[in-house]
Amino acid sequence: MHSSLTKNLAELTTERLVLRTWTASEAAAVLDHEGGARPADWAEDFPSEGDRVIAGLLGDNPAWLGTYGHRLIIERDSGLVVGSLGLFWPPAEGALELGYGVIASRQGRGYATEATQALTRLALTAPGVHTVTASVELSNPASVRVLEKAGFERLASTLADQADGLARFQATRHTLGK
């Protein structure tokens, strides 16, 4: 999967997507979209509930608006926002957690995998970061496949993971280089 980094790293471009950092005004628009004007560059079913949760947390976590934070997923062909993904900054002992979501109307196209792989590669260039982790519910096999296709390795389940119905994954420079 090809991705390129622009000079300021605020935007990642993949074959079919642009991954651009959120702005504070975009987060506010997501939170206020029910009562306000809908931006023309949003796909019809954006934002999802997960996007609203992240937008609500951005004000309390300003580092998530930076280079190694959260990004909107934009289709290059249409220019529409179709989801979001992000890294929960700062790293803990050299590891960052990743989360992602693509709106229902764009699922099944490989966008989540393409975006996850690009942002993971960028994350592994951050100072002091050697691992990107992600947790998914076992009841969501499509999300499990996203991580597997993006080059993540599944970790052994703990009793707590099993009780919570979670699968945990990680990626390093080594695992992505396979």
Side-chain angles (χ1 to χ4, degrees):
M1 190 102 10
H2 172 266
S3 67
S4 61
L5 305 179
T6 60
K7 270 175 37 179
N8 66 8
L9 297 179
E11 193 172 278
L12 293 174
T13 303
T14 70
E15 182 180 339
R16 301 175 299 157
L17 305 170
V18 173
L19 309 175
R20 184 178 45 73
T21 56
W22 288 72
T23 65
S25 62
E26 288 167 331
V30 165
L31 294 173
D32 296 337
H33 92 279
E34 296 292 335
R38 183 174 180 74
D41 65 345
W42 286 3
E44 188 175 313
D45 49 343
F46 182 85
S48 71
E49 181 57 32
D51 300 313
R52 286 188 283 278
V53 168
I54 292 300
L57 294 170
L58 289 173
D60 294 334
N61 298 281
W64 292 3
L65 291 169
T67 300
Y68 300 106
H70 287 264
R71 292 167 182 264
L72 295 171
I73 302 172
I74 303 162
E75 281 180 324
R76 286 179 64 182
D77 287 346
S78 70
L80 296 176
V81 177
V82 299
S84 65
L85 81 161
L87 299 163
F88 295 93
W89 194 264
E93 298 177 17
L96 283 172
E97 185 173 355
L98 176 128
Y100 52 87
V102 172
I103 56 174
S105 66
R106 299 308 199 279
Q107 290 176 358
R109 299 180 186 195
Y111 288 172
T113 300
E114 190 172 323
T116 294
Q117 191 172 56
L119 190 58
T120 299
R121 289 187 187 284
L122 175 65
L124 292 170
T125 69
V129 174
H130 55 72
T131 304
V132 176
T133 65
S135 298
V136 297
E137 294 179 4
L138 291 169
S139 62
N140 187 351
S143 196
V144 170
R145 284 192 304 277
V146 164
L147 293 171
E148 291 170 344
K149 288 179 180 179
F152 280 64
E153 291 183 331
R154 190 169 180 166
L155 301 173
S157 295
T158 65
L159 290 176
D161 292 342
Q162 292 170 11
D164 292 340
L166 294 177
R168 298 194 189 280
F169 291 82
Q170 74 175 18
T172 64
R173 286 182 199 94
H174 173 72
T175 59
L176 290 182
K178 288 183 178 178

